Amino acid sequence: RHDLPQWDTDQPDHLSWLNAGSEFKDAVQAHGEQEERRLAYVAYTRARHLLVCSSSGWSGTRTKPVAPSVFLSELRELVGDRPAGQGPGTGIGYWAGDDELGEENPFREQVETALWPYDPLEGPRVVRGGEAEPARPGRRAAMEAAARAVREAAAEGRAPAPESAWGREAELLLRRHNAARHVREVELPAHISASMLVSLKEDPAAVTPAPRRPAPRRPGMAARKGTAFHSWVEEFFGTAGMLDLDEYVDPADAYVDEAYDLVAMMEAFKASEFADKVPAAVEVPVETRIDEVVVRGRIDAVFRSADGSWELVDWKTGAPPAGEKLRIRAVQLAAYRLAWARLQDVPVERVSAAFYYVAADKVIRPHVLAGEAELEAIVRSASRR
């Protein structure tokens, strides 16, 4: 379920709640297409020399033609109208137009009959248009053979070999599954990321099993968008704020910027309060010990105030959270604040932190950030699960 789209119902008002529902619907559709695309990828990449693709305009007894698969349409656009035999990635046979499919399903024009009752293990014998369809292999022979094996084993007072093997495997799997449920002490890694510390605050039960069986995260649009925007901001400050937008955007990568809506975020950032400031540091790697673990992270930007205090800013490309979710996300800022205060050897009160949600052009400066004791409590609580 953690890989499925989630409906964010924690919203400040009714309109936001409806918008979140619409976003969830879009995410579900995108997830379904992505799963289908995985299968299409496997199908397309199995061929060594020749890939043949086909589809039908009519299916079953439908009254309207079947639309071509989006993956077949994309393949057609890829090869274009070039004839077959001109090298890899080229060639298209025939693409029927809608007017060629006709208005009536040919299958509906043929009378389909079958005798009833029929053997449920063999299936009906169908006659279509006066011709019997080829007989399909039934299940009766296999079921009767299995039944004989069970009766013979029962008469001899033993379990059938397949049943015994399956039973052992099932017992081992259930034992492992149930044992994982009863784990109470979890040994966290010696080093964790600031984002993992946030996850420990939000849902430690979902995070703590991960170190036992680590798996790479699935790449997503949100992560790519954040990476692209952070790279642009780093480049922006690297040229002392004099970078021209048209000079930066590579025409070869224009489709990437359009897909991530980077241009709009760039313009929003240029109009923000941070564009005219000169950061003391950008993309600063930090680490600090919290209880028994070392928390590592990267501060997007550090600004020095006229009175000598510090402000840490973390760029965000997603939607601003509210309520409890904001308090949970603020754990990241609290960890950064503690790490920077220790690094500069100043009281944490001299360090402030903020999120800048660039897509919404919204700066969020939490009034209360967790201190050292509260952060340590998060780690200890997770370790005791």
Side-chain angles (χ1 to χ4, degrees):
R1 68 181 180 87
H2 296 293
D3 294 329
L4 298 176
Q6 302 296 317
W7 187 358
D8 185 2
T9 57
D10 184 11
Q11 301 295 333
D13 51 60
H14 185 67
L15 178 60
S16 300
W17 186 80
L18 291 176
N19 291 336
S22 177
E23 293 175 359
F24 171 69
K25 180 180 178 181
D26 294 341
V28 169
Q29 293 177 343
H31 177 268
E33 181 177 323
Q34 182 67 18
E35 293 301 309
E36 291 290 334
R37 193 170 293 277
R38 292 173 184 270
L39 296 179
Y41 171 80
V42 173
Y44 286 174
T45 56
R46 295 311 91 183
R48 179 173 297 178
H49 303 293
L50 175 66
L51 176 64
V52 178
C53 299
S54 66
S55 67
S56 60
W58 294 101
S59 174
T61 57
R62 296 171 63 102
T63 58
K64 294 183 178 180
V66 179
S69 166
V70 62
F71 310 115
L72 194 62
S73 300
E74 291 175 352
L75 188 64
R76 183 189 182 215
E77 294 176 1
L78 177 66
V79 300
D81 297 327
R82 291 167 291 184
Q86 293 187 359
T90 64
I92 187 72
Y94 182 76
W95 188 274
D98 293 340
D99 55 335
E100 300 179 67
L101 297 178
E103 298 181 357
E104 296 292 335
N105 187 342
F107 291 104
R108 294 176 63 87
E109 297 176 357
Q110 300 177 352
V111 178
E112 182 178 276
T113 62
L115 294 177
W116 186 90
Y118 57 84
D119 186 344
L121 295 179
E122 294 294 330
R125 293 300 306 276
V126 178
V127 177
R128 187 191 299 274
E131 296 184 5
E133 290 188 344
R136 300 176 181 178
R139 299 170 55 219
R140 176 162 294 280
M143 294 292 289
E144 289 182 347
R148 284 195 300 271
V150 172
R151 287 197 300 268
E152 293 172 359
E156 298 175 7
R158 60 177 176 84
E163 179 182 332
S164 177
W166 294 340
R168 286 195 301 271
E169 292 181 2
E171 182 182 359
L172 290 173
L173 290 172
L174 289 172
R175 189 182 302 168
R176 168 181 285 185
H177 178 73
N178 294 332
R181 282 186 172 185
H182 292 90
V183 169
R184 287 293 180 265
E185 295 294 333
V186 176
E187 184 177 353
L188 293 174
H191 299 83
I192 66 173
S193 64
S195 59
M196 184 175 181
L197 182 64
V198 174
S199 300
L200 290 176
K201 172 65 175 178
E202 183 175 20
D203 188 2
V207 178
T208 49
R212 295 199 304 270
R213 299 186 66 185
R217 288 188 175 185
R218 178 187 301 175
M221 175 70 78
R224 294 190 182 105
K225 181 193 294 187
T227 300
F229 177 75
H230 279 67
S231 298
W232 179 84
V233 173
E234 189 174 4
E235 193 76 20
F236 178 87
F237 284 127
T239 53
M242 298 178 63
L243 180 69
D244 183 75
L245 183 62
D246 294 331
E247 294 178 0
Y248 173 78
V249 178
D250 186 344
D253 296 331
Y255 73 96
V256 177
D257 299 335
E258 182 178 354
Y260 295 162
D261 201 18
L262 286 180
V263 174
M265 289 193 294
M266 291 173 184
E267 294 295 345
F269 183 86
K270 285 183 171 183
S272 72
E273 63 181 81
F274 302 105
D276 296 329
K277 294 182 178 181
V278 178
V282 176
E283 296 293 328
V284 186
V286 293
E287 64 177 34
T288 191
R289 176 169 291 279
I290 298 178
D291 197 61
E292 296 299 322
V293 301
V294 173
V295 178
R296 291 173 172 171
R298 185 177 293 272
I299 305 174
D300 292 338
V302 179
F303 297 94
R304 188 75 181 269
S305 304
D307 61 357
S309 61
W310 302 91
E311 182 176 43
L312 318 178
V313 183
D314 191 73
W315 319 124
K316 297 293 186 184
T317 55
E324 181 61 22
K325 285 198 172 183
L326 176 58
R327 286 189 287 272
I328 293 174
R329 297 293 184 273
V331 169
Q332 177 185 5
L333 295 181
Y336 288 168
R337 183 181 71 154
L338 179 62
W340 189 256
R342 289 174 173 175
L343 182 63
Q344 299 298 322
D345 194 21
V346 298
V348 292
E349 292 77 16
R350 299 284 292 169
V351 182
S352 62
F355 289 126
Y356 176 46
Y357 287 86
V358 60
D361 191 23
K362 185 175 182 179
V363 180
I364 300 179
R365 293 182 170 91
H367 296 294
V368 179
L369 290 175
E372 180 178 354
E374 295 169 277
L375 294 175
E376 290 179 345
I378 295 174
V379 175
R380 287 195 296 268
S381 178
S383 300
R384 288 195 297 267
R385 295 193 63 84

